[in-house]
Structure formats: C-alpha cells, structure tokens
Amino acid sequence: MVSMQDVQKWFGELHVLQDINLEIPPGEVVVVIGPSGSGKSTLCRAINRLETIDEGTIAIDGKKLPEEGKALAELRADVGMVFQSFNLFAHKTVLENVTLGPIKVRGQSKEEANQRGMELLTRVGIEAQASKLPAQLSGGQQQRVAIARSLAMDPKVMLFDEPTSALDPEMIKEVLDVMIDLAEGGMTMIVVTHEMGFARTAAHRVLFMADGRIVEENTPQEFFTNPQTDRAKDFLGKILKH
C-alpha cells in the first residue's frame, strides 16, 4: 500500500531522512517511535508530500507520488492525515468539518455526505456534538472530529503524526481507543507516537528511528522485550522507567 525506496531528505546540511526503504502492505499498522529530531514526523509528512524529498521514490497503492497539481490532490485524497494540532475550521460546525471534503473533493451530495458524516461521528463517539463549533469541544473530542473528517474521504491509508501529544492525559485514551478500533477494522495506518501502550496493543510492526534512519524494526513483542541495537535499548531504558 505504501512503498518508500531509497528516500533521502535534507534540511540544509542536516540529513533528516537517510536511505529510507519501507514496504507497508494493506491493513498493516506501523508505529514509528524514536527520540525527538529522529525524522519521524518528516517521514510521515513525506508520504503525502507535505514535505518534498530530495531523492528516492514514494508510491501509494502502486502509484508514484506526483510532483504537484491535480494528480497530487487526487492521491492526497486517498491519504488521511491526523496531526498534533486538530486543524479544524473554527467557523464550521463539527458535521460541516467532516462533510466538507467529501462534498468538495469527492463530489458527494450534501445529503449523502451528512448521512455518512453522522455515521462516522457515531463511530468516534461524538454524534451528540455534530452541530457544535470546534471551540465548544474538548481537545480529545476535537481530535476525534479530525479522525472522522479523515475517514469521511474513505482513505486507503491513515497517517497519524503525534495525534495525542497536545492532549491532557485523560483525553488521550479516548483518542487511542478510536485508533485501536480503526486498526482492528483493517485500516492501513502509520502512527508516529510516544504512546508505547498503543504500540504494544495495536501495531503489527514497530519502526525505531534515530538520526534520520530506520535503525530497527520488529514486532512490538520482540522490540519491547528484546531490542537489538544499543540506540533502541538506550531509548527504551529512558522511557520505560517512568
């Protein structure tokens, strides 16, 4: 579903993605972890071309990422993205936020988009908030709207870039529960997160990044109980003590 071959990316002198080779089949949930500045978010953002790459190729569902224009917009519509910040339209209701893409990009009728939008808001547990504005919701609720908005486009892949890091601790679980439900439903997902519990529960594969490289990849069970590299051991030693 997602293929990255020999991907390189520089920010000036800084080599932020080095020799990235990655194949993600349909339905796989891949969790990307690693220290700050290791290239995790850049990797995630490169997959739908929010960050350009300097070398290599990225393909989604067998189609190479176009440079720009209509073809890129069409391919992007197949890739849902949920960020740390919710990026909702403040002046539109929750339901309007969810239905905007399907109406504008997919050409759905308002009636069809509203029906599907309500189904998705029910799925993420906030159908009662449909007519409210984003500012009237908690952070956890806003993030669940952002997930519903991405799902409304029927994406082939969902990218999550630190989706819980701006949330209060009690709101994190409600968002992770929605993500676990998605994973169990067979959605192809790439998740950059610090939530090790989610990695253990929902991931098929854990990628550990450091200094722009994928240093280690394994099943969650193997990675957390038997890391192979000193970098991974050091990282896990620091975070699992707390």
Side-chain angles (χ1 to χ4, degrees):
M1 183 55 77
V2 178
S3 173
M4 303 180 80
Q5 295 180 323
D6 301 321
V7 169
Q8 314 284 348
K9 163 85 179 166
W10 282 267
F11 288 135
E13 296 287 295
L14 195 62
H15 199 171
V16 286
L17 293 178
Q18 301 187 45
D19 309 318
I20 301 291
N21 287 287
L22 184 58
E23 299 291 329
I24 299 174
E28 188 178 34
V29 178
V30 174
V31 170
V32 186
I33 63 175
S36 294
S38 56
K40 307 182 299 289
S41 288
T42 307
L43 174 85
C44 200
R45 293 167 69 86
I47 291 170
N48 73 345
R49 217 175 166 77
L50 285 174
E51 293 283 2
T52 56
I53 57 173
D54 295 310
E55 289 175 23
T57 58
I58 299 175
I60 291 165
D61 200 14
K63 292 182 193 154
K64 205 173 143 192
L65 270 190
E67 294 292 318
E68 55 196 28
K70 192 161 184 259
L72 178 61
E74 284 171 4
L75 197 63
R76 262 197 194 142
D78 287 336
V79 183
M81 182 110 192
V82 178
F83 299 91
Q84 185 174 337
S85 53
F86 320 122
N87 296 344
L88 299 173
F89 291 109
H91 60 289
K92 292 191 179 295
T93 67
V94 163
L95 184 60
E96 286 168 344
N97 266 282
V98 172
T99 58
L100 189 67
I103 292 168
K104 294 261 192 231
V105 180
R106 297 279 194 225
Q108 286 182 12
S109 69
K110 189 170 180 189
E111 187 181 33
E112 187 187 2
N114 280 349
Q115 184 183 348
R116 171 87 172 123
M118 284 308 297
E119 284 170 13
L120 288 168
L121 289 174
T122 302
R123 183 174 176 183
V124 300
I126 45 172
E127 66 280 9
Q129 318 295 334
S131 59
K132 290 186 177 172
L133 293 172
Q136 296 172 281
L137 306 187
S138 72
Q141 289 172 324
Q142 288 188 58
Q143 193 61 293
R144 285 187 281 162
V145 175
I147 293 171
R149 177 182 58 182
S150 287
L151 291 175
M153 297 294 286
D154 287 321
K156 295 174 177 173
V157 183
M158 286 281 284
L159 307 175
F160 293 87
D161 187 9
E162 309 236 6
T164 58
S165 60
L167 300 178
D168 292 335
E170 70 270 19
M171 293 175 191
I172 290 173
K173 183 180 182 302
E174 64 191 52
V175 173
L176 293 179
D177 284 346
V178 170
M179 291 167 62
I180 288 167
D181 178 57
L182 273 184
E184 288 171 350
M187 175 63 78
T188 310
M189 292 165 61
I190 300 164
V191 184
V192 174
T193 186
H194 294 293
E195 297 295 332
M196 298 302 141
F198 175 81
R200 287 175 189 267
T201 306
H204 297 112
R205 184 163 39 138
V206 172
L207 302 185
F208 175 71
M209 287 189 74
D211 306 319
R213 295 178 183 277
I214 297 172
V215 177
E216 193 168 329
E217 54 183 296
N218 217 325
T219 63
Q221 174 66 22
E222 276 298 305
F223 178 76
F224 286 109
T225 57
N226 188 24
Q228 300 298 303
T229 59
D230 289 341
R231 284 305 302 266
K233 284 174 191 164
D234 182 52
F235 177 77
L236 288 172
K238 284 176 180 156
I239 57 162
L240 297 179
K241 279 184 184 134
H242 298 294

